[in-house]
Amino acid sequence: MKPREIRLSTTPTAEDIAALRLGDIVYLDGLMYTAREGVYMRALEEKANIPMELPSESAANFHCSPAATIRPDGSFNMGAVTATASFRFAKWLPEWMAKTGAKLIIGKGGMTSRDYKQYFVPNGAVYLTTVGYGTGALLGRGVDNVEAVHWHEELGLAQAMWVLKCNRMGPFIVASDLEGNCLFERENERIAQNLDRLYEGTKPAVLKRYGETDDRSDELI
Amino acid sequence: MISIDLIQSTAETLMDKAAIEIPEDYLDGLKAAAKTEEGELSAFVLDAMLKNYEAAKEDRRAMCGDTGTPRWYVKMGNETQIEGGPIALETALRRATANRTNGVPLRPNRVHPLWRTDHNNNVGIGAPEIEYGYEPGGEWIDLITVHKGGLFGTDYRMLFPSDGIEGIKRFYLDCLVAFGKRGLACQPAIIGIGLGGCKDTCMVLGKRAACLRVVGSRNTDPRVAELEDELKELGNSIGMGAMGFVGKNMVIDTHIEVGYCHTGGMQMSVHAFCLSSRRAVARIFADGRVEYRTDPDWFTDYQRRETVEWEPVMEAAE
């Protein structure tokens, strides 16, 4: 069965979001901004004013640093666009969502169903994952132009807040829904059923490591 | 004498090629995988990746927005001389890295580990790495650039002889399952395994096994080659595919490189070279010829030599 394809605005309505199902393929239109640890720390911990009207301009937060450069004349050279792994940003996301009204969190690898249930669902937000990973050239084609780059002097190009105008940018895959279900956990559960058989015949290493046991008094052997 | 300007201009071309053009051996491997993939989502992902490689080449745009951490492997024939010497060579490679980070553009990934200082050009303390190898005879220099992703898919473990082959398999599976979930390793990947050496050389061997050998190549030791086949098969029987979705293609190939180690140990490292396996190679000759290729051809008999003297000298002594 071929997955469904959907075009979605980066300022989606509640109905748009409610209609999304795990595994749907999404293409985005409208403004999207990149924000990762640098932006979160600056906006939330250092309380800097966010230089955009959120969520009216955009409700789509992309965990991304583009392969891009600012030319000496101030214009932009936007190459490939790929996400970075999102689970590292869980500590900032609840406050970020509350502050900015983000409805689409876009990145790599998704979050846990616990994250989805705790603060995605109450905020009416879902997670879209990039594909591959690394369909950077395809996603780059979906960027009509760079509207602005904020905080690049303070944070560097990779951590700056890039504002991208998207035109059928994609593909992305819907990885959470409004019940807090997680696409990756669903897949992991299916795969896990096979793992015991796979490991059959192997035994744990003769010298264990902390992390494989949470008991720090464990002799590790 | 090899011209330093030619080294820099060739290095700049290589930076572009690595970022934009998927090597043919990996592409063929992925196409073969796509044909066999039955997982619905995994198959969609592989199809999107194949389209992405085309888009990158058409647009002359990097394949992936995370363009990794550019590094250089340099190999020379024994008679090679470089205009300006090794300092000029390293300067040329650092210039090429910085210039093409802005030119392609690549993502300026390299920052200070503590202060997060970003020079916006992928150059800094120890960056790009430049590693060297030498071959008997010849006046030429091979420039190899690899832009491997830098966050997920790599691990090291001190195993012991009593862990045996089953211990190797178990740690291999641990790495693939752990980093494969949610697709953090950006699989299907070329998996490189280092066995033996000391801790640092074990990591180096595994990384080179992933990045400096082409899909389909086999170790010259037939028993190691057999283990490569077995581990490739094992990785593809996890039931996990691209992005950690249900599927059957986790590994495009598995390469093993070994080094002599402490008698009590069996060091093991695992590395994953991702869906954008960025590598590009050129050989520059003293007469100014430049030949581009995608096979680094790093692991020659000389690189894997076991004896005190190199063979030709041994033969002469007999």
Side-chain angles (χ1 to χ4, degrees):
Chain A
M1 197 180 75
K2 223 172 162 261
R4 287 201 305 177
E5 286 192 9
I6 291 167
R7 281 186 81 154
L8 188 68
S9 163
T10 55
T11 51
T13 65
E15 292 73 35
D16 291 339
I17 291 190
L20 297 174
R21 294 198 301 248
L22 294 188
D24 283 347
I25 308 302
V26 169
Y27 293 85
L28 291 173
D29 298 293
L31 285 189
M32 169 195 275
Y33 59 88
T34 69
R36 52 184 299 179
E37 56 268 60
V39 168
Y40 294 147
M41 283 193 265
R42 189 161 164 79
L44 303 178
E45 293 171 16
E46 294 164 23
K47 311 280 182 203
N49 285 327
I50 298 170
M52 285 181 80
E53 284 301 319
L54 301 178
S56 62
E57 286 185 76
S58 174
N61 174 183
F62 196 10
H63 290 154
C64 159
S65 315
T69 189
I70 304 176
R71 298 191 188 95
D73 67 359
S75 65
F76 307 103
N77 182 8
M78 169 66 66
V81 181
T82 313
T84 196
S86 299
F87 69 89
R88 297 170 288 159
F89 311 133
K91 70 181 270 198
W92 296 291
L93 268 182
E95 191 186 345
W96 181 260
M97 271 187 186
K99 201 173 173 107
T100 64
K103 299 289 180 209
L104 302 173
I105 302 295
I106 303 149
K108 171 179 176 182
M111 319 281 293
T112 66
S113 54
R114 192 180 62 241
D115 287 301
Y116 295 145
K117 290 189 167 87
Q118 272 176 6
Y119 54 89
F120 275 69
V121 174
N123 284 298
V126 293
Y127 187 95
L128 306 180
T129 179
T130 50
V131 173
Y133 295 88
T135 50
L138 292 177
L139 294 181
R141 278 183 172 182
V143 178
D144 264 357
N145 61 293
V146 177
E147 295 278 308
V149 183
H150 304 295
W151 296 345
H152 60 89
E153 279 169 16
E154 297 87 342
L155 301 174
L157 287 180
Q159 291 283 340
M161 188 175 194
W162 292 77
V163 184
L164 313 177
K165 184 148 188 291
C166 309
N167 178 12
R168 200 179 178 276
M169 184 183 186
F172 302 99
I173 303 177
V174 176
S176 85
D177 61 21
L178 288 183
E179 289 172 10
N181 295 308
C182 172
L183 176 68
F184 289 105
E185 287 177 16
R186 186 190 79 186
E187 297 289 299
N188 284 341
E189 264 172 45
R190 290 174 185 169
I191 291 162
Q193 292 166 7
N194 182 40
L195 291 182
D196 283 348
R197 187 189 57 73
L198 196 71
Y199 273 82
E200 238 171 52
T202 70
K203 53 185 193 308
V206 294
L207 178 65
K208 291 200 207 68
R209 304 191 291 197
Y210 291 118
E212 294 172 357
T213 162
D214 290 328
D215 179 2
R216 261 30 183 187
S217 67
D218 193 312
E219 297 288 341
L220 300 185
I221 50 178
Chain B
M1 183 84 75
I2 307 221
S3 143
I4 195 68
D5 288 344
L6 186 58
I7 287 178
Q8 186 174 327
S9 63
T10 305
E12 298 204 359
T13 303
L14 289 173
M15 290 290 294
D16 293 32
K17 282 180 170 291
I20 295 167
E21 300 168 12
I22 191 77
E24 206 59 33
D25 59 286
Y26 182 87
L27 179 62
D28 289 346
L30 195 73
K31 280 180 179 164
K35 280 196 189 117
T36 65
E37 188 52 78
E38 290 162 0
E40 180 190 311
L41 284 167
S42 289
F44 172 82
V45 175
L46 296 187
D47 186 51
M49 287 310 303
L50 291 171
K51 288 182 182 138
N52 185 66
Y53 301 138
E54 288 305 312
K57 275 185 248 180
E58 276 172 34
D59 299 3
R60 298 306 294 169
R61 191 195 285 274
M63 293 178 255
C64 179
D66 184 345
T67 49
T69 47
R71 63 161 54 211
W72 294 93
Y73 296 92
V74 176
K75 206 194 249 185
M76 287 172 238
N78 193 39
E79 278 77 55
T80 304
Q81 292 204 336
I82 294 159
E83 181 192 355
I87 303 297
L89 168 66
E90 295 201 332
T91 304
L93 296 180
R94 285 169 83 91
R95 283 184 185 152
T97 304
N99 288 349
R100 296 319 295 163
T101 292
N102 285 296
V104 175
L106 308 182
R107 188 202 281 178
N109 269 335
R110 294 280 198 160
V111 302
H112 188 285
L114 289 171
W115 325 131
R116 317 310 290 181
T117 317
D118 192 339
H119 296 159
N120 288 329
N121 62 9
N122 280 319
V123 175
I125 301 172
E129 292 84 354
I130 305 175
E131 298 178 39
Y132 297 93
Y134 303 91
E135 292 288 331
E139 190 177 2
W140 49 262
I141 182 168
D142 274 358
L143 301 180
I144 305 165
T145 191
V146 169
H147 305 176
K148 187 181 176 299
L151 297 183
F152 307 107
T154 298
D155 205 356
Y156 167 86
R157 184 156 196 156
M158 175 61 96
L159 296 175
F160 299 91
S162 63
D163 284 309
I165 297 288
E166 292 306 324
I168 290 173
K169 286 184 187 165
R170 188 177 175 106
F171 183 53
Y172 172 75
L173 284 174
D174 283 347
C175 292
L176 294 193
V177 173
F179 292 118
K181 285 187 184 194
R182 297 169 184 260
L184 293 182
C186 295
Q187 71 266 18
I190 304 173
I191 306 296
I193 296 175
L195 288 177
C198 295
K199 182 175 187 176
D200 57 341
T201 38
C202 180
M203 293 298 287
V204 167
L205 282 169
K207 187 157 194 157
R208 290 179 178 179
C211 300
L212 299 183
R213 280 180 48 190
V214 296
V215 172
S217 67
R218 282 291 167 267
N219 195 293
T220 43
D221 179 333
R223 285 182 299 170
V224 173
E226 211 174 292
L227 187 58
E228 291 177 335
D229 285 336
E230 200 180 336
L231 290 182
K232 178 186 174 187
E233 175 67 32
L234 182 65
N236 285 335
S237 43
I238 296 173
M240 188 187 278
M243 289 178 71
F245 295 142
V246 171
K248 50 163 68 164
N249 290 288
M250 182 76 194
V251 174
I252 294 297
D253 209 349
T254 301
H255 299 151
I256 301 172
E257 288 298 327
V258 303
Y260 273 39
C261 62
H262 188 289
T263 183
M266 190 172 68
Q267 296 82 347
M268 175 165 173
S269 71
V270 178
H271 305 250
F273 200 23
C274 67
L275 273 165
S276 302
S277 285
R278 290 170 289 255
R279 69 168 126 76
V281 188
R283 176 165 294 191
I284 309 173
F285 296 91
D287 63 7
R289 269 180 305 140
V290 181
E291 288 173 1
Y292 289 94
R293 58 184 208 264
T294 52
D295 182 354
D297 191 23
W298 184 270
F299 288 101
T300 57
D301 291 343
Y302 181 74
Q303 301 301 323
R304 290 183 179 132
R305 68 196 182 277
E306 288 196 66
T307 52
V308 175
E309 307 294 335
W310 175 234
E311 204 171 336
V313 181
M314 285 171 65
E315 279 170 3
E318 277 168 6

